[in-house]
Amino acid sequence: MVSGLITYTLRKLPCARLGIIVTVLLSLEACKTEEETKPWSPPGHFPTMVYQNANNEPNAERIALGKALFYDPLLSSSGTISCGSCHAQVHGFSDHNTPLSFGVHNRLGSRNTPPLVNLAWSPNFMWDGGINHLDVMPIAPITNPVEMDISLAEALEKIRSQSRYKNMVSLAFGDTAWSEKRLLYALSQFMLTLQSSNSRYDQFYKGQTSALNEIEKTGYRLFQKHCSSCHVEPLTTGYTYERNGMVCTDDMGRMKITNSLQDQYKFKVPTLRNIAVTYPYMHDGSIKSLFEVVAFYAEGGNSNSDPRIQNISMSQTEQDQILAFLQSLTDYSFLSNPALSE
Amino acid sequence: MKNPTNLVAIAMLALGLISFSSCKEDPIDSPDQGALSIEIEHVWGMNEKPFLFGETMVHPMTGDSLTISTLTYYVSNLILTQMDGTQWKEENSYRLIDPQTNTFDLSGIPKGSYSSMTMTIGVDSLHNCSGLQEGALNPSKGMFWSWNTGYIFIRCEGQSPSSSKGAFTYHLGGYLPPNNAIQTRTLNFGSSFLEISANSKPTLHLKSNVAKLWHGPVKVSDLSAVHMPGSNAVSMSANFADGFRFDHIHP
């Protein structure tokens, strides 16, 4: 009805022809299909995504804003720590090969930084699964005194003071106002683009038999026999909480969230994507090499391990084959994609 | 603007736009709906002594000296019920109450005589899992756990010489069984009725006996801190919710 009035008004003006052209162009714009405007689509061989937010559909401007915020140390009390400080692309978006991470003022965290990858498929976050939605995930590291040590309100004040964000937020959300929602929605949008689905394993999984060599194929079969009940394909995790036997710290794991003794020392099964570059391993970063990880499982773990692990027994040859296979999970296109880079 | 027809066209456009914006139905002006005020008066103990926020009070059951500096809790999912069972549920019903923010209005209530109100102390499960929310549910309000996603339903802090640390901090939350601390109370208006109509705005007066938080008894020397979901959070929040009662209706 309003567009009818506008067209009527335009017709009365001498430049009526221009008005008609504008109206036609505007309606053509509206005819664009959703497919053409979506910045990304999920990999075809992955299961259904879990992330849900009808008000945060993939959008190029929000992704750009989220990326800028992700790499901005402004979001820390000291101005020195950004998300990217501990989630480095070259390491599959985990930390720079350190067991625990340093936040502001060299404060030390208590758990190994997990890699940020394929988050749209993760129903929960953190080693103990304490966070149940990606949109509120960043609140934990941002406000944690040993990480970025800043309240959301202070973070927003700092962002408001930066002129470079004014245009970006306007493009992403329609005006220059800032809120917790916009900060977190933008961060989610960028994090959702951190998708790794193009390793040689993925290519083999999709049917390209030449993508893995014979040793790797043998290793893959061993992986399917011994590992994939927890490291479920193709994401390489089923996001369950398991007790693999790592009881070297005071960390109660999942029990911290559920209060249930059954969950003591259980931790979320981590993704194995890009595992070759995300060392050291385990919730406390206590195992330095993949060789040692595979050797640990090959000997049946320890007396604290889940019975399924205790049943594992692998020869050195088999361990080498699994190690070869694990290397094929490295997705170089993901690690070097400039769209994700600082 | 030399052409007078242009002015007419623009005026028509403006008028059209203005008339569209006032198309929304105004609930308060509807003859079939009304509004209501609710006031929660905080009291101390069964005898309903005045609640001295920020001042020292002695707990009637435990004898502990308590100086409460923070008392904030969620009141949500309000439902008004008529004698025949007809219910009205308030949409987006989430509020943070404290001793100084203890009155609020409801509107868009269908005309009728209401005999009870159901209230939830806390935030329902769904909204503990729905990601980032705004208004009273904004995580910046100090009522949200960042490391264990969920709301702090009742936050009570203060000083007490009976506490080994000199202070007490109760952050009561948790929505997953068996540690579900969400509490629901239905308050009947007895022989009174809440009359909702377009011509009036009654006030529903409730009382909240804050001392019930330590009902049990919960001596501060035994329990001065609760920081996560668990049986302590469940029992304390149940007792706190139990401390609410209907007082009277001011028509």
Side-chain angles (χ1 to χ4, degrees):
Chain A
M1 187 60 183
V2 175
S3 61
L5 278 166
I6 290 169
T7 318
Y8 173 82
T9 312
L10 283 169
R11 254 188 237 132
K12 287 289 175 189
L13 292 170
C15 46
R17 253 173 287 162
L18 178 61
I20 291 163
I21 290 164
V22 167
T23 312
V24 169
L25 284 172
L26 281 171
S27 41
L28 276 179
E29 174 72 23
C31 274
K32 246 195 215 171
T33 61
E34 251 185 56
E35 283 304 310
E36 293 166 45
T37 52
K38 250 199 225 164
W40 57 267
S41 292
H45 62 294
F46 275 21
T48 315
M49 288 195 299
V50 159
Y51 176 80
Q52 273 186 12
N53 185 342
N55 298 319
N56 205 24
E57 291 295 311
N59 167 290
E61 285 80 24
R62 291 190 187 185
I63 291 168
L65 178 56
K67 180 165 119 161
L69 292 164
F70 185 88
Y71 286 116
D72 197 343
L74 189 75
L75 299 188
S76 62
S77 64
S78 59
T80 59
I81 306 288
S82 70
C83 310
S85 301
C86 298
H87 294 286
Q89 182 177 17
V90 65
H91 298 292
F93 290 95
S94 71
D95 206 346
H96 302 270
N97 308 137
T98 176
L100 304 173
S101 299
F102 290 98
V104 300
H105 311 307
N106 273 349
R107 292 175 189 159
L108 195 61
S110 55
R111 287 180 181 157
N112 183 257
T113 300
L116 300 184
V117 63
N118 298 336
L119 298 171
W121 289 268
S122 189
N124 47 57
F125 306 91
M126 308 272 271
W127 278 104
D128 55 26
I131 298 178
N132 64 26
H133 199 292
L134 185 62
D135 289 347
V136 294
M137 169 69 225
I139 300 176
I142 288 173
T143 59
N144 189 346
V146 306
E147 295 182 64
M148 294 155 88
D149 187 42
I150 194 170
S151 70
L152 289 179
E154 287 169 70
L156 289 171
E157 270 315 295
K158 282 180 147 201
I159 292 168
R160 280 184 194 109
S161 71
Q162 301 292 312
S163 56
R164 64 194 146 96
Y165 281 121
K166 283 195 165 54
N167 197 37
M168 292 186 88
V169 70
S170 189
L171 287 170
F173 291 99
D175 58 59
T176 57
W178 270 100
S179 61
E180 289 86 351
K181 180 167 104 171
R182 290 179 174 189
L183 167 62
L184 295 166
Y185 277 23
L187 284 171
S188 280
Q189 287 252 4
F190 173 65
M191 289 194 285
L192 289 168
T193 65
L194 305 179
Q195 290 177 23
S196 178
S197 61
N198 199 28
S199 65
R200 286 190 297 113
Y201 158 73
D202 290 292
Q203 284 150 28
F204 186 81
Y205 187 91
K206 288 189 284 187
Q208 195 189 325
T209 47
S210 58
L212 298 180
N213 65 33
E214 287 313 306
I215 298 174
E216 291 162 346
K217 280 178 191 161
T218 311
Y220 181 27
R221 283 191 288 276
L222 286 163
F223 174 82
Q224 289 175 317
K225 181 178 174 191
H226 295 299
C227 319
S228 64
S229 55
C230 293
H231 291 285
V232 180
E233 296 189 78
L235 296 164
T236 68
T237 169
Y239 303 103
T240 55
Y241 305 97
E242 308 290 350
R243 194 179 292 112
N244 73 348
M246 299 309 298
V247 181
C248 359
T249 60
D250 301 330
D251 198 333
M252 296 290 116
R254 182 67 179 160
M255 182 174 154
K256 184 179 172 202
I257 302 300
T258 64
N259 264 351
S260 169
L261 211 55
Q262 282 183 329
D263 289 333
Q264 193 182 36
Y265 305 131
K266 281 189 181 174
F267 293 90
K268 190 171 75 179
V269 175
T271 181
L272 298 181
R273 288 182 168 280
N274 305 300
I275 197 71
V277 300
T278 62
Y279 58 92
Y281 306 103
M282 303 298 152
H283 68 271
D284 54 0
S286 60
I287 301 189
K288 292 183 185 54
S289 70
L290 261 186
F291 181 88
E292 289 167 76
V293 172
V294 175
F296 170 76
Y297 285 116
E299 284 150 28
N302 59 37
S303 54
N304 290 309
S305 303
D306 185 285
R308 287 170 293 170
I309 294 172
Q310 293 194 37
N311 281 339
I312 299 175
S313 175
M314 288 194 279
S315 67
Q316 190 56 57
T317 309
E318 289 176 315
Q319 292 174 52
D320 292 341
Q321 286 157 344
I322 283 199
L323 279 164
F325 164 70
L326 291 174
Q327 299 293 322
S328 76
L329 290 165
T330 308
D331 179 354
Y332 294 98
S333 65
F334 172 67
L335 298 175
S336 61
N337 184 355
L340 311 178
S341 305
E342 187 157 7
Chain B
M1 298 228 195
K2 294 201 178 135
N3 191 341
T5 323
N6 281 351
L7 277 170
V8 172
I10 288 161
M12 281 183 69
L13 178 63
L15 204 64
L17 289 170
I18 290 165
S19 58
F20 283 134
S21 65
S22 60
C23 265
K24 244 189 258 176
E25 201 187 289
D26 190 347
I28 294 169
D29 292 333
S30 164
D32 298 325
Q33 294 175 339
L36 157 73
S37 262
I38 298 183
E39 184 179 312
I40 301 176
E41 189 192 333
H42 296 94
V43 296
W44 187 250
M46 246 171 47
N47 299 329
E48 297 189 346
K49 293 211 164 95
F51 175 68
L52 306 171
F53 186 50
E55 293 174 44
T56 306
M57 299 179 288
V58 176
H59 195 277
M61 201 183 218
T62 66
D64 286 328
S65 265
L66 307 167
T67 311
I68 298 171
S69 55
T70 302
L71 175 67
T72 313
Y73 55 94
Y74 276 104
V75 168
S76 70
N77 295 294
L78 296 173
I79 304 172
L80 289 169
T81 310
Q82 299 186 31
M83 278 294 280
D84 65 358
T86 312
Q87 286 193 330
W88 174 78
K89 294 184 187 184
E90 188 187 31
E91 271 182 39
N92 295 319
S93 184
Y94 298 94
R95 292 180 177 83
L96 274 172
I97 305 295
D98 63 56
Q100 284 139 355
T101 316
N102 62 331
T103 57
F104 53 91
D105 290 350
L106 275 67
S107 59
I109 308 163
K111 179 177 169 162
S113 302
Y114 293 86
S115 55
S116 71
M117 181 178 82
T118 305
M119 59 195 266
T120 299
I121 305 293
V123 178
D124 51 277
S125 308
L126 177 66
H127 286 79
N128 277 286
C129 304
S130 305
L132 193 282
Q133 288 157 105
E134 298 180 291
L137 295 177
N138 189 314
S140 285
K141 303 256 176 196
M143 299 290 283
F144 182 81
W145 280 310
S146 64
W147 52 275
N148 185 359
T149 309
Y151 288 93
I152 298 169
F153 303 152
I154 302 163
R155 183 176 176 157
C156 182
E157 296 170 6
Q159 313 290 316
S160 172
S162 310
S163 159
S164 56
K165 291 166 233 157
F168 54 87
T169 317
Y170 305 111
H171 294 179
L172 312 178
Y175 63 96
L176 290 168
N179 300 314
N180 184 353
I182 303 168
Q183 307 293 339
T184 310
R185 285 289 314 278
T186 297
L187 303 174
N188 283 296
F189 306 151
S191 51
S192 310
F193 283 94
L194 191 60
E195 303 292 346
I196 301 294
S197 70
N199 319 315
S200 67
K201 190 175 174 190
T203 304
L204 175 62
H205 288 267
L206 308 178
K207 296 220 177 174
S208 162
N209 174 6
V210 182
K212 284 283 271 183
L213 199 58
W214 291 268
H215 190 82
V218 172
K219 290 184 76 63
V220 176
S221 51
D222 292 334
L223 183 70
S224 63
V226 177
H227 279 291
M228 52 190 291
S231 52
N232 286 326
V234 175
S235 59
M236 288 186 84
S237 59
N239 286 326
F240 182 73
D242 209 40
F244 283 82
R245 72 168 186 85
F246 161 75
D247 191 56
H248 71 277
I249 292 167
H250 189 92

